[in-house]
Amino acid sequence: MDFTPTHSIDELKSNFDLTIEQTVRIAGRITAIRRHGRSMFLDIRNLKDRIQLYGKADDLGDSYEELIECHVGDFIGVEGVTFKTHTGEPSVRIHKFYILTRASRPLPEKWHGITDVETRYRRRYLDLIANENSRKIFLLRARMIKEIRKFLEDMGFIEVETPILHTVPGGGAARPFITHHNALNIDLYLRIALELYLKRLIVAGYEKVFEINRCFRNEGISTVHNPEFTMMELYQAYADYNTMMSLTEELIVHLASTLFGKPIIYRDNEEIDISPPWDRRELLDIVIEYTGVNPLDLTREDLLEYASKLEIKVTTEESLWAKVLMGLFDEEIQPKLKRPTFITGYPVAVSPLAKARENDPRFTDRFELFIGGLEVANAFSELNNPVEQRERFEAQLREKMMGEEETHPMDEDFIEALEYGMPPTGGLGIGIDRLTMLFANVDSIREVILFPLQRPE
């Protein structure tokens, strides 16, 4: 059936003029049917809104019997005239209708959303039909991404696309997915981060670039991890991690103000004011403050004891204190950081692509942002010295030889690119899924991914 609407349901509702009768053609899925003698009301909806239809036997003649045969779930096209009921409900009086698609499976009626979470994620199409909150979450996500693009483009950033298939995995500490290219007879890796190709573009002369795209990590599934996820990464020449801090703060405050009308988010039923300025704390200082432990002062035996308690895999001596520091932070402090907080000064051993601090080369010019107990962003002054970058990769290789599966391999092509010269650069990565979790006030990443990975039925 060829049926072309004159309006979408949400367009018609948002511009509904109750003072005039307007002839329209609209289409949607039937979500409710109410019969009253020789007349009936039907609700139809699209993703954004619903509208009421009114069909009367006197208007439709013999075709009224066909209208009676419609069921919840069917798609219908209608020609009719707008009017308001005695209660003021915007409605369309049916003059002619077309059954566009019959639903061969009945939709569950009178749902207030699907209660079984596995069904909601596995059959998201049913969840979106039945659950208004799910529809709102994914419309919010789309608006958020659109605003991020607009914000960055207005700042002069250029959006680019870089390869998903990598010959060498890099840019993040994670196990990659491995695939095989038959024609070239080589193994390839699904990217774990956007970073290294975007920095090649900085070498090429792009001064402001960003990408919003999928990344893949062969890791477990949890409330904050999905093996396939969306990242936004940007890189700016002649900038550093302080520039990235200011940009991050401005971007997220802008998003909240645009989406909600004011700089707030809700987390665990608590309103969190994210108005700037945001807190900035040194990683080592906040660990000492909260735990009373300074890993730099611990003996090797004490470090190994803490590593055992924190279930940290011990690989090389040079990274032991740094991993204990990170473990203490993750376990004792991160969940308590509700208001936006920049944590700065991460150890070199866990930041292989970040520039070391001039006054203390054990630490880097790097920050992570935490809001509502979630890690939302990671940024640093980019390491642009090819000799030092090679040394960092070699340290990672020593970790890998000792059994650390999430370290960076040697990427000779990237080091060669650095040898041609990369200007001082600031880089920023924001997890789109986690940012959506914050704005949508949900506790699971699977609530904000349309089709999260599920174990096969």
Side-chain angles (χ1 to χ4, degrees):
M1 171 62 67
D2 183 14
F3 182 87
T4 304
T6 57
H7 302 76
S8 69
I9 293 171
D10 51 296
E11 288 172 345
L12 182 59
K13 283 287 289 290
S14 62
N15 297 297
F16 206 90
D17 188 346
L18 297 177
T19 65
I20 61 171
E21 290 187 348
Q22 182 181 5
T23 300
V24 297
R25 289 164 60 91
I26 57 172
R29 185 193 291 272
I30 299 172
T31 56
I33 298 174
R34 301 173 295 280
R35 294 179 184 169
H36 299 277
R38 296 286 289 166
S39 64
M40 60 191 298
F41 290 93
L42 305 89
D43 292 344
I44 63 170
R45 73 165 303 122
N46 65 2
L47 184 64
K48 296 182 179 180
D49 212 336
R50 57 163 285 280
I51 196 166
Q52 180 174 262
L53 307 178
Y54 175 62
K56 192 174 181 182
D58 292 346
D59 295 337
L60 297 172
D62 293 341
S63 64
Y64 182 73
E65 297 302 319
E66 187 181 357
L67 186 63
I68 290 176
E69 295 301 316
C70 288
H71 296 91
V72 169
D74 294 347
F75 284 87
I76 188 173
V78 169
E79 294 179 10
V81 175
T82 59
F83 77 104
K84 66 175 180 178
T85 64
H86 68 279
T87 61
E89 173 80 10
S91 306
V92 175
R93 184 189 299 271
I94 303 172
H95 287 177
K96 189 183 293 186
F97 68 90
Y98 308 87
I99 307 300
L100 303 178
T101 304
R102 293 282 191 186
S104 57
R105 289 177 180 260
L107 296 181
E109 295 186 67
K110 299 181 181 178
W111 279 4
H112 300 290
I114 305 171
T115 56
D116 180 74
V117 292
E118 291 300 316
T119 300
R120 290 182 55 234
Y121 302 146
R122 197 179 301 279
R123 295 177 177 83
R124 180 69 84 185
Y125 50 91
L126 290 180
D127 180 41
L128 292 169
I129 292 169
N131 191 334
E132 183 178 3
N133 189 55
S134 289
R135 293 193 294 271
K136 287 181 178 178
I137 286 172
F138 291 105
L139 289 172
L140 175 73
R141 178 184 174 118
R143 285 184 61 203
M144 185 190 79
I145 293 173
K146 179 180 178 181
E147 283 298 326
I148 290 172
R149 282 195 165 97
K150 183 177 184 303
F151 178 91
L152 294 177
E153 287 168 355
D154 288 347
M155 290 189 66
F157 283 86
I158 298 172
E159 184 172 10
V160 297
E161 293 178 294
T162 59
I164 290 176
L165 295 175
H166 290 187
T167 54
V168 178
R175 293 175 61 187
F177 287 96
I178 304 174
T179 186
H180 187 79
H181 190 279
N182 291 332
L184 295 178
N185 193 28
I186 57 171
D187 285 341
L188 295 171
Y189 305 88
L190 297 186
R191 66 177 168 207
I192 57 178
L194 310 173
E195 182 167 348
L196 298 185
Y197 277 100
L198 289 175
K199 289 202 280 195
R200 286 171 169 90
L201 293 178
I202 296 292
V203 172
Y206 284 72
E207 294 185 357
K208 290 184 175 182
V209 293
F210 78 99
E211 182 172 5
I212 301 175
N213 224 321
R214 288 300 225 210
C215 295
F216 308 84
R217 298 187 179 184
N218 199 346
E219 58 190 15
I221 297 173
S222 71
T223 56
V224 292
H225 293 97
N226 191 69
E228 180 180 3
F229 60 99
T230 302
M231 284 292 296
M232 186 285 295
E233 289 195 25
L234 64 83
Y235 293 85
Q236 180 177 343
Y238 314 111
D240 62 12
Y241 83 122
N242 289 303
T243 315
M244 296 298 103
M245 249 187 279
S246 299
L247 189 155
T248 304
E249 188 175 81
E250 185 180 351
L251 170 61
I252 294 178
V253 169
H254 168 78
L255 290 175
S257 301
T258 301
L259 296 172
F260 306 129
K262 54 183 178 178
I264 62 166
I265 61 167
Y266 295 90
R267 191 74 177 154
D268 300 326
N269 298 316
E270 175 187 353
E271 182 177 294
I272 301 175
D273 183 355
I274 63 169
S275 300
W278 293 353
D279 295 336
R280 303 185 181 194
R281 299 296 308 276
E282 281 284 306
L283 174 63
L284 182 61
D285 292 345
I286 200 170
V287 167
I288 294 172
E289 176 185 329
Y290 274 74
T291 69
V293 177
N294 184 347
L296 290 174
D297 293 339
L298 297 178
T299 64
R300 180 178 182 277
E301 289 71 24
D302 289 338
L303 287 171
L304 288 172
E305 184 177 343
Y306 273 108
S308 177
K309 289 179 182 177
L310 297 167
E311 298 182 349
I312 295 169
K313 177 187 276 189
V314 178
T315 49
T316 61
E317 294 290 327
E318 57 192 314
S319 66
L320 178 56
W321 73 268
K323 290 186 176 181
V324 168
L325 177 66
M326 294 302 302
L328 288 169
F329 174 81
D330 293 343
E331 187 75 19
E332 302 292 338
I333 302 166
Q334 176 180 330
K336 301 172 184 176
L337 300 178
K338 301 299 182 183
R339 190 178 142 68
T341 305
F342 291 114
I343 302 296
T344 60
Y346 283 73
V348 165
V350 294
S351 312
L353 297 163
K355 185 173 287 187
R357 287 182 167 176
E358 292 183 1
N359 62 346
D360 191 342
R362 296 173 299 179
F363 297 93
T364 60
D365 286 337
R366 172 187 171 190
F367 73 78
E368 288 185 332
L369 170 65
F370 298 87
I371 308 177
L374 282 178
E375 178 197 339
V376 176
N378 179 31
F380 36 84
S381 302
E382 302 295 334
L383 178 57
N384 60 347
N385 182 322
V387 175
E388 187 175 351
Q389 185 64 80
R390 179 180 292 278
E391 292 172 353
R392 300 275 191 91
F393 281 156
E394 288 171 348
Q396 294 281 293
L397 285 175
R398 289 192 292 273
E399 294 258 351
K400 185 174 285 292
M401 291 174 63
M402 295 296 294
E404 178 57 73
E405 297 177 324
E406 297 186 351
T407 54
H408 295 266
M410 182 67 69
D411 190 334
E412 292 286 356
D413 183 77
F414 177 66
I415 293 172
E416 181 181 328
L418 290 182
E419 290 171 346
Y420 286 98
M422 185 176 85
T425 299
L428 166 67
I430 292 179
I432 295 296
D433 308 301
R434 292 188 185 176
L435 193 59
T436 308
M437 287 174 64
L438 284 177
F439 287 145
N441 189 24
V442 295
D443 295 324
S444 173
I445 196 170
R446 295 194 292 174
E447 294 285 354
V448 300
I449 296 175
L450 277 170
F451 300 101
L453 185 64
Q454 297 287 104
R455 188 186 303 275
E457 288 185 293

